[in-house]
Amino acid sequence: MSMSDSGASRLRRQLESGGFEARLYVKQLSQQSDGDRDLQEHRQRIQALAEETAQNLKRNVYQNYRQFIETAREISYLESEMYQLSHLLTEQKSSLESIPLTLLPAAAAAGAVAASGGEEGGGGPGGRDHFRGQTGFFPTPGGASRDSSGPGEEGKQRTLTTLLEKVEGCRHLLETPGQYLVYNGDLVEYEADHMAQLQRVHGFLMNDCLLVATWLPQRRGMYRYNALYPLDGLAVVNVKDNPPMKDMFKLLMFPESRIFQAENAKIKREWLEVLEETKRALSEKRRREQEEAAVPRGPPQVTSKSSNPFEDDDEEEEPATPEVEEEKVDLSVEWIQELPEDLDVCIAQRDFEGAVDLLDKLNHYLENKPSPPPVKELRAKVDERVRQLTEVLVFELSPDRSLRGGPKATRRAVSQLIRLGQCTKACELFLRNRAAAVHTAIRQLRIEGATLLYIHKLCHVFFTSLLETAREFETDFAGTDSGCYSAFVVWARSAMAMFVDAFSKQVFDSKESLSTAAECVKVAKEHCQQLGDIGLDLTFIIHALLVKDIQGALHSYKEIIIEATKHRNSEEMWRKMNLMTPEALGKLKEEMKSCGVSNFEQYTGDDCWVNLSYTVVAFTKQTMGFLEEALKLYFPELHMILLESLVEIILVALQHVDYSLRCEQDPEKKAFIRQNASFLYETVLPVVEKRFEEGVGKPAKQLQDLRNASRLIRVNPESTTSVV
């Protein structure tokens, strides 16, 4: 064994030497070895040495890591003590400076009386007590401070009363027994999304709640009540400095959050420390109260049984046995002893699953067992780690982190928060993260020259993100509280509003043609219908958000058609159309056929003539085009708007034909006008009515009334202008 140990040490020294060259070493070893067996044995020795080195390295790293954790903890404790010492010195200085100078002559006179044989010893202590009473602490408006009114409950209550007298609208707080002030100071509130400064506030931290009051600029030193948050439902998150935004911290009160900025880094740290200490003290106090409330129920049972003289000794010992057994909880198990340190390691190494597994294992082990002081102490240590783990998971889901990787990148943190029993917070943070991701994706989308191309990309990006988010939400929150699904529907509606805002700016605000707008809306509807595959129907939401813009587009295009029709009517000569070439005539026939006019052949004449006016043909094509594009935009909320616009357009042409027929004196032109009127009433109106009924699903009475009119619309025969 000694020879092998010496050989291993010699080999280690040889490998660790500064001039070691692997190639030369292998060459010498090959020359000196007798064969294959020697090389394999040497290889095994080197492998064993490598494994031993790896184990030593791992052991050293772990020891150094534990020492680092202990050192960091000691530094934190030392830093806290230094802050407390600095704060005490500051308080002493302010107390000394607040002593009125007018008391000094009185103190000197009292000393002179004592020296001249007055009441011996009476002046000194009385004077000191008087000064001590004058140095009670009251915070200055520009700083932050702890309460130092004294250990007595009356002193604490008196300080709280004095402070809250300067806050309007919070007199009801004084009715809570045992409430006192812990800390207070000036803060500046910022808007959570855009980090814009909102207002100056003053925070009052009591032993069970946090009061936020706003400044009253017109009344110096006075505040107005703003909000009151119980410490039970309050979470404190440190906000990383990002110049010029620094010295900030966030308060989470589901479903809202607020961001405050302290005067400097020191005051920020004091706020964070005092908030955590106060929350911890409150939870410990309530736990003690519950235990004390449960204690009186036990002794009467024991007393009643022990006072019964007819019970046997065995029966008297039976209730005492479980009490002794309940007090024994074995915490000497190795994994329980190392649990706090193991949780620190898991959190530092971002092994969130391992940390939650350890917590589940501990909860299962302590389930249905009593809580003696050692267990409570262990619980307190573990709760601190749970708080740290929750902060890390919350940061993982914050929008400040990278938004790449899609919704699946959040699954790890969300699942662990759910396992920790914080499903509501996980849902809120997940949806907030996805909202930021969708907003970023839409903002980064490049605006192309062609509107339809941009809308295709916008719909693909948005609805794909929405679909992936819905599927991931269903995977992560399956089996949880149904309230989370309601939160998702609310989030989906807000996300749809964000999409419609970008959609409308590109389609409707840029005054695109009705055909382009119709194609864009059609694309958006088709993408929205894909969400039905997962049981999410948001079609009614997109209709409600787009109805105003579509109404504006229909009205604008209706006015354009009416103006164009009036312009053609003013230049009407009532002549037949000559298309000059058979190709042009064939093209017109195809256009009229696509508009639904199948009997257009009977209105064509010899060669390339058409027995209709150019104005009537142009009006027919334009009206049918408007109807086709409007039906692509149609949904029930637009029924009356579309119908009224269509009737108004048709009336312009009918009134012009009727007026021309009444005013024309030439028999040939009058017959030609009657032929055009017949085309409008007997061909165009039935086609419009049929197409409208096909697109909408029900007939339109207004169109039937126009078609079934027994005679043409009356106009004033003496008028020389067309009636519109």
Side-chain angles (χ1 to χ4, degrees), residues 222-241:
M222 296 297 292
Y223 312 97
R224 177 180 289 115
Y225 171 79
N226 178 262
L228 182 69
Y229 303 109
L231 293 184
D232 291 343
L234 190 67
V236 187
V237 180
N238 183 20
V239 178
K240 185 179 180 181
D241 288 349

Side-chain angles (χ1 to χ4, degrees), residues 574-688:
W574 294 113
R575 297 176 182 176
K576 296 181 180 181
M577 292 178 63
N578 184 4
L579 298 179
M580 307 300 291
T581 62
E583 291 79 8
L585 180 60
K587 182 178 179 182
L588 179 60
K589 290 179 180 179
E590 290 296 327
E591 291 176 350
M592 298 305 289
K593 186 177 180 180
S594 65
C595 291
V597 182
S598 57
N599 60 343
F600 189 70
E601 290 285 346
Q602 69 184 34
Y603 295 100
T604 58
D606 299 334
D607 296 332
C608 299
W609 289 90
V610 177
N611 298 327
L612 292 172
S613 168
Y614 167 77
T615 300
V616 173
V617 172
F619 168 79
T620 302
K621 292 193 295 184
Q622 200 168 22
T623 303
M624 293 306 299
F626 171 77
L627 179 59
E628 290 296 331
E629 301 302 336
L631 288 176
K632 294 179 183 178
L633 296 168
Y634 177 83
F635 44 87
E637 291 83 357
L638 295 172
H639 182 83
M640 291 307 300
I641 298 294
L642 174 58
L643 186 57
E644 291 172 358
S645 299
L646 198 59
V647 170
E648 190 173 349
I649 291 172
I650 293 173
L651 280 176
V652 174
L654 295 181
Q655 290 173 354
H656 173 67
V657 171
D658 181 63
Y659 171 76
S660 299
L661 187 63
R662 299 294 298 271
C663 295
E664 184 60 50
Q665 301 298 324
D666 187 355
E668 293 184 1
K669 284 191 176 183
K670 201 166 188 177
F672 181 67
I673 294 173
R674 286 186 179 276
Q675 188 175 6
N676 282 272
S678 175
F679 174 74
L680 288 175
Y681 276 96
E682 298 175 4
T683 302
V684 176
L685 285 182
V687 170
V688 170

Side-chain angles (χ1 to χ4, degrees), residues 295-311 315-316 319-320 323:
V295 167
R297 293 195 293 267
Q301 298 178 359
V302 178
T303 305
S304 61
K305 289 186 178 181
S306 61
S307 61
N308 190 349
F310 298 100
E311 289 185 353
E315 294 180 355
E316 291 178 358
E323 291 182 1

Side-chain angles (χ1 to χ4, degrees), residues 161-355:
T161 304
T162 305
L163 281 178
L164 296 184
E165 283 177 352
K166 293 184 173 294
V167 182
E168 296 181 354
C170 66
R171 298 297 302 175
H172 61 282
L173 294 176
L174 300 178
E175 300 174 359
T176 305
Q179 192 176 61
Y180 60 88
L181 184 70
V182 178
Y183 192 76
N184 73 98
D186 293 339
L187 297 169
V188 179
E189 184 175 6
Y190 280 77
E191 201 267 331
D193 294 331
H194 306 290
M195 299 306 291
Q197 183 173 334
L198 293 179
Q199 58 185 343
R200 293 180 62 193
V201 300
H202 196 90
F204 299 91
L205 176 62
M206 269 72 78
N207 57 323
D208 59 350
C209 61
L210 175 65
L211 170 68
V212 179
T214 57
W215 281 76
L216 293 177
Q218 66 276 15
R219 300 176 63 185
R220 184 178 180 87
M222 296 297 292
Y223 312 97
R224 177 180 289 115
Y225 171 79
N226 178 262
L228 182 69
Y229 303 109
L231 293 184
D232 291 343
L234 190 67
V236 187
V237 180
N238 183 20
V239 178
K240 185 179 180 181
D241 288 349
N242 185 16
M245 302 302 175
K246 60 180 182 178
D247 304 330
M248 294 183 173
F249 60 92
K250 181 185 292 186
L251 298 181
L252 299 178
M253 305 76 60
F254 185 78
E256 62 173 314
S257 63
R258 300 177 72 172
I259 293 181
F260 299 102
Q261 184 183 44
E263 185 177 353
N264 51 50
K266 175 186 174 183
I267 295 179
K268 171 189 172 181
R269 283 194 293 269
E270 289 183 358
W271 270 107
L272 295 176
E273 292 173 2
V274 174
L275 279 167
E276 290 301 328
E277 292 174 3
T278 309
K279 287 181 60 180
R280 197 179 304 115
L282 178 63
S283 61
E284 184 65 27
K285 176 185 175 184
R286 291 185 175 173
R287 188 158 48 241
R288 286 198 305 269
E289 290 176 351
Q290 292 176 358
E291 293 172 359
E292 293 174 358
V295 167
R297 293 195 293 267
Q301 298 178 359
V302 178
T303 305
S304 61
K305 289 186 178 181
S306 61
S307 61
N308 190 349
F310 298 100
E311 289 185 353
D312 297 334
D313 294 340
D314 296 338
E315 294 180 355
E316 291 178 358
E317 293 176 357
E318 285 181 1
T321 304
E323 291 182 1
V324 175
E325 292 178 356
E326 286 180 358
E327 293 178 358
K328 293 182 179 179
V329 179
D330 186 12
L331 299 181
S332 61
V333 186
E334 183 179 357
W335 68 270
I336 293 182
Q337 294 291 328
E338 298 179 354
L339 182 64
E341 288 75 15
D342 291 342
L343 287 175
D344 287 337
V345 172
C346 289
I347 295 173
Q349 294 179 349
R350 301 172 61 81
D351 183 11
F352 307 136
E353 295 83 357

Side-chain angles (χ1 to χ4, degrees), residues 6 98 223 247 273 295-296 322 340 359 381 387 396 403 438 517 547 555 583 626 630 651 695 702:
S6 62
S98 63
Y223 312 97
D247 304 330
E273 292 173 2
V295 167
L359 293 172
K381 293 180 180 179
R387 183 188 63 80
E396 286 292 314
L403 298 175
V438 172
V547 63
H555 178 76
E583 291 79 8
F626 171 77
L651 280 176
Q702 291 89 335

